[in-house]
Amino acid sequence: MICTDNYPDKLRKAVYNAVMISKGAYAYNKSLGSYMGSLDYGSDNIYEQCEMAVKEAVIGIKDIKYKQCILSNVTSSSLELKVQFEYMGKTYETEVIGFNG
């Protein structure tokens, strides 16, 4: 069940930004961000690539637990992604994050 009431907006934005912003782009901490920009969209293991990139990107966000990636509209050059994560026993989901290769 996805919770929509009392959604921790700051946390949702932190997860969204961690996945959306490229690894090394944060001026104050080059280890933050994700490798989503280096995905091979035509690969048979696109889900596994996304999952690894997202897990690494969100591992440093305090008190959240990665649940799953939800991929949609996957083509050879783009995809849409939602990230489900758990916070204080409730499951939350980011808005759609679009990537173009």
Side-chain angles (χ1 to χ4, degrees), residues 2-99:
I2 306 299
C3 297
T4 56
D5 58 331
N6 300 318
Y7 195 90
D9 192 55
K10 185 175 180 180
L11 187 61
R12 180 193 54 76
K13 286 180 182 176
V15 172
Y16 179 92
N17 288 339
V19 174
M20 186 67 179
I21 297 177
S22 297
K23 179 74 88 179
Y26 285 100
Y28 62 91
N29 187 342
K30 298 291 184 187
S31 68
L32 297 176
S34 75
Y35 288 112
M36 293 295 290
S38 63
L39 296 178
D40 177 5
Y41 295 94
S43 173
D44 290 339
N45 69 344
I46 188 68
Y47 180 83
E48 289 81 6
Q49 290 180 64
C50 288
E51 187 169 57
M52 287 181 5
V54 169
K55 280 182 178 179
E56 182 181 355
V58 302
I59 198 164
I61 302 174
K62 186 178 178 185
D63 297 331
I64 75 153
K65 179 182 175 187
Y66 167 83
K67 299 269 295 183
Q68 73 174 1
C69 290
I70 301 166
L71 298 181
S72 58
N73 299 321
V74 178
T75 70
S76 62
S77 62
S78 67
L79 62 86
E80 292 178 347
L81 165 77
K82 289 184 182 180
V83 178
Q84 283 188 357
F85 60 95
E86 186 176 307
Y87 175 69
M88 296 183 68
K90 294 182 179 179
T91 300
Y92 298 95
E93 189 173 275
T94 63
E95 65 270 30
V96 173
I97 306 171
F99 290 95

